[in-house]
Amino acid sequence: MKLMLVGARVVAVTAAGALLTGCGGSASKGGDGPDPKPSGSARQGGPAADGEKTGATGKPDAEESTLPGALPSAYEFTPNPDRVPKNAAQARKLTRGAALGEADWTAGMVRHTPYESGGSRPVLPDSCVWTRSALPSGVLDSFTRRLDIPARNGKGRVQGAVTVTVHRTVAGADQEIKDTVQESFRCPRQELGGGQRLSGLMSLRFHQKDVRNADASLFEAGKYTGPESDGTQDYVWTKSRIGPVTTAVSVKGAKGYKNSDLLRIAAEGGAKVLYRVELELK
């Protein structure tokens, strides 16, 4: 389904998507976290201007292979079948290994309270009020970590979260991506609990040719309000899929932060968690 958006918001979502999809496994290092390296699909070297593959003796492509951490022209990573979880225990090992901790995302992050949740998954019923339910039979595990950038220097507290979910099948994981896009149409205003609300939500699923670090990706944007939000703030969310594994990164804005700041935080977290999923599956 095409996303029907108009006016300046279209430009904003498109620009945000360009930033997020353009940030692959070669994301820059943030704080004490690991510095993700390009995946197997991001090796330097690619089609030369004359259509021939460059190599050790060929002339490198000036736009693709001469830049450190250059993105690949297409995503080509294939999970090792022996590394794809077959049961809940294997899935829990993957989700805990891939989810980001406070030293893994960006500088200065601390644990939110609560910090971790697992063994269930968020569900958005027709009431548009988020709740949690037991894992369906098609999901082996889902695990979330919540991390904040504390309030300081006149700025408010930014709240981030990363979720890794392992499905039994690739089809099940892809259905999660499709369902997420529909949720913003069904519920453009959503209740998160504890007085937290999202509004003006819009989702965009990217064309596969524009995704360089996953099999599928989408982006969602809107507004956030809550007891400690100091008014209405920007909200961004990105979700991606590699094989039967989905990752989701959300960032709730705060006083003193621009939308572009949140996009950079989300892009960095999204790139790093996808790289960690690759490591678990290669």
Side-chain angles (χ1 to χ4, degrees):
M1 176 181 290
K2 293 182 178 180
L3 184 62
M4 300 182 67
L5 306 174
V6 295
R9 295 297 296 279
V10 181
V11 177
V13 171
T14 303
L19 171 62
L20 291 171
T21 57
C23 195
S26 57
S28 61
K29 186 174 182 179
D32 296 327
D35 184 5
K37 306 300 188 296
S39 68
S41 62
R43 298 186 187 94
Q44 291 186 354
D50 59 4
E52 295 184 2
K53 183 76 174 180
T54 60
T57 59
K59 183 178 180 180
D61 186 296
E63 295 184 356
E64 182 173 355
S65 62
T66 62
L67 298 176
L71 289 170
S73 59
Y75 188 68
E76 299 174 349
F77 175 77
T78 301
N80 180 344
D82 295 333
R83 299 275 289 175
V84 175
K86 307 298 192 302
N87 54 51
Q90 293 173 349
R92 284 193 293 270
K93 182 177 181 297
L94 185 149
T95 58
R96 274 69 174 172
L100 305 178
E102 66 264 41
D104 303 325
W105 191 337
T106 196
M109 276 191 153
V110 299
R111 295 185 179 189
H112 185 86
T113 302
Y115 173 49
E116 297 179 338
S117 60
S120 63
R121 70 178 309 193
V123 176
L124 186 65
D126 291 340
S127 64
C128 298
V129 178
W130 283 96
T131 184
R132 298 195 73 86
S133 70
L135 296 177
S137 59
V139 175
L140 292 172
D141 190 52
S142 186
F143 180 68
T144 297
R145 283 195 178 130
R146 300 172 184 84
L147 299 160
D148 296 348
I149 298 176
R152 58 175 175 252
N153 300 326
K155 293 185 176 182
R157 177 170 61 98
V158 171
Q159 301 176 63
V162 57
T163 298
V164 182
T165 302
V166 180
H167 292 256
R168 291 186 182 275
T169 65
V170 171
D174 199 53
Q175 188 61 50
E176 179 187 337
I177 299 288
K178 295 175 182 177
D179 291 345
T180 300
V181 173
Q182 297 305 312
E183 286 173 351
S184 68
F185 289 96
R186 179 167 58 87
C187 294
R189 295 178 60 89
Q190 301 173 8
E191 301 281 339
L192 303 180
Q196 300 181 91
R197 296 178 177 85
L198 301 177
S199 61
L201 292 173
M202 301 183 301
S203 291
L204 172 69
R205 181 170 181 174
F206 302 116
H207 192 287
Q208 186 54 48
K209 69 180 178 62
D210 297 321
V211 182
R212 308 294 179 87
N213 60 346
D215 292 315
S217 288
L218 65 85
F219 171 74
E220 184 171 279
K223 297 295 183 178
Y224 163 76
T225 58
E228 301 178 15
S229 66
D230 196 16
T232 301
Q233 307 295 342
D234 288 318
Y235 168 84
V236 297
W237 186 32
T238 180
K239 179 173 282 190
S240 300
R241 176 183 67 81
I242 295 178
V245 180
T246 63
T247 65
V249 172
S250 67
V251 181
K252 300 171 185 173
K255 177 184 176 182
Y257 285 88
K258 299 178 181 178
N259 186 261
S260 57
D261 298 325
L262 307 185
L263 291 171
R264 283 192 292 270
I265 295 168
E268 182 177 358
K272 287 181 175 180
V273 71
L274 285 171
Y275 172 64
R276 289 165 72 109
V277 168
E278 283 194 2
L279 289 182
E280 296 288 334
L281 293 174
K282 67 184 299 183

